[in-house]
Amino acid sequence: MARRFEGGRLVIASHNTDKVREIADLLAPYGTDAVSAGALNLPEPEETGATFAENAIIKARAAAQESRLPALADDSGLCVHALDGRPGIYSARWAVNGDFGPAMEKVHTMLEAHADKSAHFMCALALCWPAGQCEVFEGRIDGVVVWPPRGDLGFGYDPIFRPEGRTITFGETPPEKKHAVSHRARAFAKLIGACFR
């Protein structure tokens, strides 16, 4: 049985302001006093895991131990099937100084020779306590890579990812609609059901 979050302050173990805002929006209905690792000047640990879940645990556990507060970390990325799942856990590292334009261009260039444009976004959430206990929840959404990039409402690879059954990319999707269907939303639904209700 998952450990329950009893309320109060929760560190969002990220220095990515877009990701922090999206997570804070998803947590807002649960009265959580969310603060980012960046706002607390916590160091960013090296992501040495081989999976999204392992990297999420590394980040959440480090933030929880440094802050002495429960911490929630997200590790997520775009997995392109014809590229053997790349960029995958390296999704953020393909960006140049936080600019995902070159990363999207790299995906497009590598994918040009392939007929299969299918991909999925994956998210792993880790909720860890200072003593080291962690709960992990994963979410996935399938879709296709499109080119050229469309929309400026999302972040990361959102402008080149069109979810299955949709005609617009995540980059063209208003945040409240993306929050209802995204990989992060699916992982959050599991987290909330297990730890916040």
Side-chain angles (χ1 to χ4, degrees):
M1 178 136 175
R3 180 172 174 179
R4 311 211 31 102
F5 179 74
E6 300 298 337
R9 201 159 223 213
L10 176 69
V11 178
I12 300 174
S14 177
H15 289 72
N16 179 323
T17 55
D18 291 318
K19 187 180 283 191
V20 168
R21 183 172 46 251
E22 188 167 311
I23 291 172
D25 286 349
L26 288 164
L27 288 173
Y30 303 97
T32 304
D33 178 15
V35 59
S36 74
L40 296 176
N41 294 314
L42 300 180
E44 292 184 85
E46 187 177 353
E47 296 177 32
T48 56
T51 66
F52 292 112
E54 288 175 8
N55 283 331
I57 290 170
I58 288 168
K59 292 185 281 190
R61 189 168 276 154
Q65 290 172 347
E66 285 280 334
S67 67
R68 307 305 300 160
L69 294 166
L72 177 67
D74 158 298
D75 198 60
S76 54
L78 178 68
C79 303
V80 181
H81 304 163
L83 304 182
D84 299 321
R86 288 174 292 168
I89 62 170
Y90 303 103
S91 291
R93 286 170 260 189
W94 277 25
V96 179
N97 297 321
D99 179 3
F100 278 85
M104 290 187 285
E105 184 75 45
K106 184 175 182 178
V107 169
H108 169 64
T109 300
M110 293 175 71
L111 200 53
E112 269 188 306
H114 297 276
D116 179 8
K117 308 293 187 198
S118 65
H120 67 273
F121 265 124
M122 192 73 193
C123 171
L125 294 172
L127 176 60
C128 294
W129 282 263
Q133 180 183 353
C134 296
E135 305 289 349
V136 180
F137 306 91
E138 293 182 316
R140 170 180 169 149
I141 186 165
D142 290 280
V144 294
V145 172
V146 299
W147 196 260
R150 300 183 344 216
D152 57 7
L153 296 177
F155 62 94
Y157 297 90
D158 285 356
I160 64 168
F161 182 79
R162 189 183 74 228
E164 274 183 357
R166 308 255 168 182
T167 58
I168 60 175
T169 67
F170 270 169
E172 299 170 295
T173 305
E176 64 277 6
K177 291 191 175 177
K178 180 187 172 191
H179 292 343
V181 299
S182 74
H183 51 303
R184 192 166 287 114
R186 291 174 180 188
F188 257 93
K190 295 175 185 176
L191 167 76
I192 297 302
C195 300
F196 283 79
R197 290 198 174 150

